[in-house]
Amino acid sequence: MSDTIRIFQGPQHPGVTGNMSLELELDGETIVTAITHVGYLHRGFEKLIERRTVLQAFTIVCRICVPEPDPYEDTFARGVEALAGLEISERAAQLRVLTLELARLQAHLLWMAGQGASIGLEIVPQWAIGDRDYILELFEQISGARVYHMYIYPGGVRRDLPAGLPERLLEVLEMIEQRLPAYDRVFFGNAAVRKRLQGVGIVDAAEALRHGYAGPVLRGCGIPRDVRRDAPYLIYDQLAFDIPTASGGDAWARAQVRRAEMVQSIRIMRQVIDRLVPGEIQCRLPKHRKFKIPRGETYVQSESARGAFGFYMVGDESEYLRRMQVRGPSTVHAFTLLERMLVGAQLSDVALIMNSLGICPPEIER
């Protein structure tokens, strides 16, 4: 008779990042083995995109990571622009950065809501989801949608900012800034939170570099890697911002990184609003069926709230991409890292560890 039991956490479970499942073997409350199962939601993005024209395909990429779709839209658009030799206007680049940093800010609020709920601090998700809703309202005003924005389009953006949006954005940023001290008291400065997260899910810096970990996982090991600074795109090279890091490599360090990144995103957006210039928001594109991608290949990188990712795209002089490949941090975070990290951990820490890694399952089952 076996002394261990096997259970599944997910795919529909409040302590699971997205629709995925963890097959756990337990000896009491201690995890003996952990196997990740994905594919319970969106899947097959690469082939779906290859079977649509590039102007049709832009509606698909936002589904790769539902909680933060905009970096994927921008990366796809920049890949198409690189292959087709398109150059976007300065205003379009500014509007893209505003959108990307808004997406990063709401993604960190959503992370905080999930982590707070996993610890049992129910006031944290109530505040964080409420504050995130103000950002979703801004997205609705900008793009017409709250979740799948489909706003960043090859050649620029789909529409300009509505009247009064910059002022409303500044009001929301100020409101969130004023809320941060309350989050510090209830969450980041809470001794119970620190005790639950410190020493949990430790990542070694050498391991992080060797396996290609990214985002808060890498910066939580004290390594200041960020594509926005290391390989600037859009107008990031014109903006002043810091790359937050922390030491310890545990779930607490990753929480500290995300807290500091919220401040930096607000800082970036204020600079962009001050620099907004008039101009076109979309360059002239060929008609839908006449937009043929020249023969060539490109690899485009971006920095999302979860870390660096990239698209490898190949054109063959048709209106379709010959090859589209997604490379994101979720694969190594969910397999290489999570399955190893859970062994020896307690069942009560599974949600905390998983939330700290920032995993989007559709990015794996791509």
Side-chain angles (χ1 to χ4, degrees):
M1 183 176 178
S2 175
D3 293 329
T4 64
I5 61 171
R6 188 174 298 272
I7 67 170
F8 284 85
Q9 184 159 322
Q12 295 175 325
H13 188 287
V16 168
T17 305
N19 292 71
M20 62 183 292
S21 177
L22 293 172
E23 183 180 351
L24 305 174
E25 184 181 357
L26 300 173
D27 181 0
E29 293 287 319
T30 303
I31 298 171
V32 178
T33 61
I35 302 174
T36 304
H37 298 281
V38 297
Y40 291 95
L41 190 59
H42 306 312
R43 63 195 306 183
F45 291 100
E46 294 176 351
K47 294 307 173 187
L48 286 172
I49 291 171
E50 290 171 11
R51 284 157 175 77
R52 286 161 176 78
T53 70
V54 291
L55 298 185
Q56 292 173 331
F58 100 100
T59 63
I60 298 176
V61 292
C62 56
R63 270 83 174 176
I64 297 176
C65 189
V66 180
E68 193 190 10
D70 306 275
Y72 295 81
E73 294 180 13
D74 173 67
T75 308
F76 179 79
R78 288 192 289 116
V80 172
E81 289 154 7
L83 289 171
L86 300 175
E87 185 173 347
I88 66 172
S89 68
E90 183 177 0
R91 182 171 181 84
Q94 291 173 332
L95 298 184
R96 284 187 182 183
V97 170
L98 272 182
T99 307
L100 296 176
E101 294 306 317
L102 266 180
R104 185 186 311 275
L105 184 57
Q106 64 83 28
H108 286 333
L109 286 170
L110 186 60
W111 160 82
M112 185 161 50
Q115 199 70 309
S118 298
I119 293 173
L121 291 172
E122 296 301 329
I123 190 63
V124 174
Q126 292 182 36
W127 284 359
I129 293 298
D131 289 344
R132 177 175 177 262
D133 221 55
Y134 289 108
I135 298 178
L136 298 189
E137 288 178 359
L138 291 174
F139 276 126
E140 190 171 12
Q141 295 174 43
I142 294 171
S143 68
R146 291 166 60 84
V147 180
Y148 294 132
H149 308 130
M150 290 176 277
Y151 176 67
I152 299 175
Y153 191 74
V157 296
R158 283 198 299 116
R159 62 180 70 172
D160 210 336
L161 297 180
L165 193 284
E167 292 76 17
R168 175 60 180 152
L169 173 55
L170 289 173
E171 291 175 3
V172 172
L173 295 182
E174 184 175 355
M175 179 273 295
I176 293 176
E177 278 183 322
Q178 293 175 353
R179 175 79 79 178
L180 287 176
Y183 285 129
D184 288 338
R185 291 193 301 271
V186 174
F187 186 79
F188 296 101
N190 190 320
V193 174
R194 182 188 290 265
K195 188 172 183 179
R196 286 300 308 276
L197 297 182
Q198 276 188 330
V200 172
I202 297 176
V203 180
D204 177 73
E207 175 195 358
L209 291 172
R210 183 168 62 253
H211 292 296
Y213 303 154
V217 176
L218 185 62
R219 293 190 285 276
C221 299
I223 302 171
R225 295 282 181 85
D226 190 306
V227 178
R228 296 172 299 170
R229 178 62 54 80
D230 300 334
Y233 51 97
L234 298 174
I235 60 166
Y236 279 111
D237 58 345
Q238 303 173 23
L239 304 172
F241 60 96
D242 299 323
I243 308 301
T245 61
S247 59
D250 54 10
W252 174 249
R254 296 190 280 277
Q256 296 302 301
V257 169
R258 289 184 172 97
R259 167 62 175 84
E261 286 187 359
M262 294 171 70
V263 174
Q264 296 304 315
S265 288
I266 293 173
R267 180 184 178 189
I268 289 172
M269 283 185 276
R270 290 188 183 280
Q271 293 177 66
V272 175
I273 292 173
D274 288 341
R275 293 165 178 248
L276 279 175
V277 298
E280 296 294 327
I281 61 166
Q282 178 68 240
C283 68
R284 187 174 181 83
L285 297 176
K287 290 184 178 180
H288 173 56
R289 284 290 179 181
K290 294 185 178 180
F291 188 10
K292 300 187 184 299
I293 300 297
R295 189 177 301 277
E297 61 182 358
T298 187
Y299 182 74
V300 184
Q301 291 189 88
S302 294
E303 184 76 32
S304 71
R306 290 158 178 77
F309 69 94
F311 290 170
Y312 173 69
M313 303 164 69
V314 180
D316 63 354
E317 298 182 350
S318 74
E319 63 267 34
Y320 300 91
L321 289 173
R322 179 72 176 85
R323 182 71 178 101
M324 167 74 177
Q325 185 173 11
V326 178
R327 190 277 181 196
S330 294
T331 301
V332 289
H333 288 180
F335 291 108
T336 310
L337 181 54
L338 181 62
E339 291 184 352
R340 176 197 63 77
M341 187 179 285
L342 289 180
V343 175
Q346 297 298 296
L347 180 61
S348 59
D349 290 335
V350 172
L352 303 181
I353 293 172
M354 196 173 185
N355 279 325
S356 76
L357 301 181
I359 299 168
C360 275
E363 186 187 280
I364 305 169
E365 190 76 340
R366 59 191 187 274

